[in-house]
Amino acid sequence: MKAIRTTFGEMRTFTIIWIGQLVSTIGSGLSGFALGVWIYEETGSPTLFAISLFVYFLPRVIFSPFAGVIADRFNRRTVMLTSDGLAALATLGILVVFSADNLQIWHIYIAHVFFSVANSLQWPAYSAAISSLVPKKHLARAGGMTQIGDGISSLIAPGIAGALYVTVGLDAILKIDLLTFLVALGTMAAIRIPSPMKSAQGEESKGSFWQEVLFGWRFIISHKGFLGLQIIFALVNFSFSIIYPLFVPMILEMSSPDVLGYITSITGAGVL
């Protein structure tokens, strides 16, 4: 018991952030699922549903190389607060136009751009903050908690979203998502993230914004193992991106949104 208390004390700040981000990730999973279902139910078009995914992932592909530099140049807490705030504003915008009975597909596409940029900022800042918050001996544990958080969201968010969609509707799901953003923003406002010590490689990369971006590319290319991992991740994500736009319309043609949510949650069990 004493060891557990000691470990929690050493990881207290990280655990607070982790809880806030877990709650926010679940909320985002709820609204992301519900908005996708809404697009297909309104249009009956797999193409328009697939375009919504394309609009979400394209800014991440374009912006991600720069997000790491931004996370290095600015306080990680500020970057995370900004990303959560940006996503919350996009969700609020969708809620406002939906409540006015004026929600259009292009509104969701624009919101997806904001969600994508926010997530691009969030992940490198969150990942980099771990090394500043957690002692080296607990880094593996912190990494495991981060992955478990993603798994928990993948497991429970779709099932809950499907059940809520058929009972209380999109409006309530968006409101729940906004509440989860408040939890994330509250936990971030309650803590401080110290600036990390600059390593030799960090000092070497210092320069203009574009020099730091190019340094990151050169670092990846010069480490074959790391480059190989990036290629594997790209292939896995590419394969999944082909299946998902077909999977969702197929299930919705045969059944209801709640069943789609339950099936998606079952696949999320593997992630957990």
Side-chain angles (χ1 to χ4, degrees):
M1 184 64 69
K2 182 179 179 181
I4 293 175
R5 287 198 299 268
T6 301
T7 300
F8 177 76
E10 293 174 336
M11 298 181 63
R12 179 178 178 275
T13 302
F14 167 75
T15 303
I16 292 173
I17 296 176
W18 180 80
I19 292 172
Q21 294 305 309
L22 173 61
V23 172
S24 177
T25 300
I26 293 173
S28 297
L30 296 178
S31 60
F33 178 92
L35 289 173
V37 171
W38 186 89
I39 288 175
Y40 188 73
E41 285 193 337
E42 289 294 310
T43 66
S45 170
T47 300
L48 292 176
F49 174 74
I51 289 174
S52 72
L53 298 177
F54 176 80
V55 171
Y56 175 77
F57 285 109
L58 181 62
R60 294 189 69 175
V61 173
I62 295 173
F63 191 70
S64 289
F66 311 109
V69 178
I70 293 173
D72 278 338
R73 285 179 164 240
F74 296 95
N75 181 272
R76 277 79 189 266
R77 174 174 171 269
T78 301
V79 173
M80 294 176 69
L81 281 169
T82 301
S83 64
D84 280 335
L86 186 65
L89 286 175
T91 302
L92 179 61
I94 292 293
L95 176 60
V96 169
V97 292
F98 180 80
S99 299
D101 199 25
N102 196 34
L103 181 61
Q104 305 293 324
I105 295 175
W106 64 269
H107 292 141
I108 298 177
Y109 289 172
I110 292 175
H112 276 182
V113 173
F114 282 91
F115 294 148
S116 184
V117 172
N119 285 335
S120 298
L121 284 171
Q122 181 83 2
W123 176 244
Y126 184 30
S127 302
I130 293 175
S131 61
S132 302
L133 296 171
V134 179
K136 188 175 182 179
K137 63 182 178 180
H138 295 314
L139 285 177
R141 180 177 283 108
M145 289 174 64
T146 302
Q147 294 301 315
I148 287 173
D150 292 339
I152 292 173
S153 176
S154 299
L155 177 64
I156 69 175
I160 294 175
L164 290 175
Y165 191 89
V166 298
T167 54
V168 295
L170 178 61
D171 178 82
I173 292 175
L174 293 173
K175 290 176 181 177
I176 292 171
D177 190 15
L178 283 175
L179 290 176
T180 65
F181 277 122
L182 291 178
V183 173
L185 291 169
T187 56
M188 287 302 303
I191 57 91
R192 295 291 182 270
I193 299 177
S195 298
M197 296 291 293
K198 280 287 186 180
S199 65
Q201 288 176 327
E203 291 295 335
E204 181 185 347
S205 69
K206 287 179 64 175
S208 69
F209 185 89
W210 291 105
Q211 285 175 327
E212 293 185 25
V213 171
L214 292 174
F215 178 86
W217 282 109
R218 288 196 298 268
F219 181 88
I220 293 173
I221 294 172
S222 64
H223 292 72
K224 293 183 179 180
F226 192 59
L227 177 61
L229 283 175
Q230 301 305 307
I231 293 173
I232 291 172
F233 293 152
L235 291 174
V236 170
N237 289 330
F238 179 78
S239 300
F240 177 77
S241 298
I242 293 175
I243 296 171
Y244 191 72
L246 304 176
F247 169 78
V248 170
M250 180 184 72
I251 300 299
L252 288 177
E253 285 295 327
M254 296 188 297
S255 190
S256 56
D258 55 335
V259 173
L260 170 64
Y262 301 146
I263 293 174
T264 307
S265 285
I266 291 171
T267 63
V271 179
L272 180 61

